[in-house]
Every structure is written in C-alpha cells, then in structure tokens.
Amino acid sequence: VDAVHEKSHASGKIDFSAKINMHAFQMRFVGASVQDITKKNESSFYSNYYIGNNESKWATGVKNFAEVTYEQLYPGINMVLREDNGSLKYDYIVQVGANPADIELELIGLKNCEVINGRLSLQTSVGELLESIPVCYQVIDEKKVEVPCEYRLAKDKQHIRFVFPKGYNKGYDLIIDPV
C-alpha cells in the first residue's frame, strides 16, 4: 500500500492496476461488556472513515487519543489501548479479586492459528502474523515482578485464553501485555 501511495505522489498519477493483497480478521472479546470508556491525551489529528457507499455509515473528524481505556471489559478487568512508536499496544489490567480466565478472545477469519514455542502464529491469506510470548507482571513493593504467562488455544483453534503455569500473587493487580 505504501509503495503504491509513494508512486502516485512521485508520478502525479494513481496506478489503479496495481494489485494490493490484504487480509482482515476479527478479534472478538467473548462475554465482554464495556461499562465505560476513558480517553487520555487528545491528539490534534483526526480520522475520516468512508466505509462502503452508504453515507450514513461514514464518520468524519473523528478525534484521536494517545490512550483509551475500556473500563470493566470483564468484571474487574480493564483493557488499555495506546499508541507506542506508531503501533497499537494494549494491556489487560486484572484487578485484585478479578479472574484473568474471564479473558477469552475469538479470532475470526484466519486460515489457521497455533501456538509455536510460546508465540501465537496467525496464518492469513497473505502470510503469517507472529505474536510474541505474552509478558505479564505485577508491581509488588514498588518492584516489577514478572509472572510466567502462556497462550492457551482451544481445540477449535479460534479461542484463546491466558494461563499462568506458576500462578500469581492474587493480592496485587496483574498486568497482561500480549506484546
């Protein structure tokens, strides 16, 4: 996409014959129910969404934020999305008393999904997207304490949960960073 964009700027013409291969898939939060959304650090930038031919579904001047928190995505679990060096990052904040097993992701529209050496391999029509081993930690006595965490893929190869083979200290919040 970037190459076609740059070429059109250089030549002043848009090459409509260029073939761009893309693949989209969905990540659904099974059983989730957002109670509130908080936004931080509004950007001066905005986005426009022209999806399809139905103008009633278009959105223009949509504000951008550096950080958005989905409060109570699951009971006692928030999800924080943020921009990090041009990439989207997200963390789950599991509060004391909440159950991280409530987090269940359903991946829809992939050719295949598997866990290879602790990493999540997502096969699309244009190649593999490889997610890193999740990083989990707790802040205990002002120190970051790592917590071993793994992806657990269901037999249907569409549903994913996080598991903690050595457990964690239930007296402190747990941060899950799928990296």
Side-chain angles (χ1 to χ4, degrees):
V1 174
D2 290 336
V4 172
H5 182 140
E6 292 302 319
K7 186 177 176 183
S8 71
H9 280 289
S11 69
K13 297 179 183 176
I14 299 174
D15 181 6
F16 289 104
S17 67
K19 184 177 179 183
I20 301 171
N21 294 317
M22 295 186 212
H23 186 105
F25 65 92
Q26 295 176 20
M27 182 168 66
R28 189 172 75 83
F29 301 95
V30 177
S33 174
V34 176
Q35 300 301 313
D36 196 14
I37 298 174
T38 56
K39 302 166 231 166
K40 292 182 183 174
N41 304 323
E42 183 176 341
S43 170
S44 60
F45 299 102
Y46 62 90
S47 299
N48 297 311
Y49 299 94
Y50 302 104
I51 301 172
N53 294 324
N54 184 345
E55 289 185 34
S56 70
K57 297 191 181 219
W58 295 357
T60 60
V62 177
K63 295 177 182 180
N64 292 305
F65 296 87
E67 183 175 298
V68 175
T69 300
Y70 287 87
E71 307 281 348
Q72 302 296 312
L73 181 68
Y74 296 97
I77 302 173
N78 296 339
M79 183 173 71
V80 179
L81 296 107
R82 66 183 179 288
E83 183 272 333
D84 184 30
N85 294 320
S87 295
L88 176 66
K89 294 274 301 156
Y90 64 99
D91 297 332
Y92 299 99
I93 313 301
V94 181
Q95 300 163 358
V96 173
N99 185 356
D102 289 345
I103 302 170
E104 181 180 356
L105 310 175
E106 179 181 20
L107 300 172
I108 302 164
L110 293 169
K111 291 179 79 175
N112 191 31
C113 180
E114 56 188 333
V115 178
I116 301 173
N117 296 323
R119 300 178 75 184
L120 191 61
S121 170
L122 309 174
Q123 297 292 326
T124 73
S125 61
V126 294
E128 177 186 41
L129 176 63
L130 196 58
E131 295 285 340
S132 298
I133 296 170
V135 173
C136 298
Y137 64 93
Q138 296 180 286
V139 177
I140 301 174
D141 297 328
E142 298 181 26
K143 293 180 183 168
K144 190 174 178 178
V145 178
E146 289 190 37
V147 175
C149 180
E150 299 172 356
Y151 293 110
R152 174 74 40 90
L153 187 60
K155 289 182 183 179
D156 67 5
K157 294 193 172 192
Q158 286 187 308
H159 291 82
I160 299 166
R161 292 184 189 267
F162 299 99
V163 294
F164 309 92
K166 295 184 179 179
Y168 66 96
N169 188 329
K170 293 181 177 21
Y172 295 87
D173 289 354
L174 173 69
I175 293 83
I176 303 170
D177 179 359
V179 187

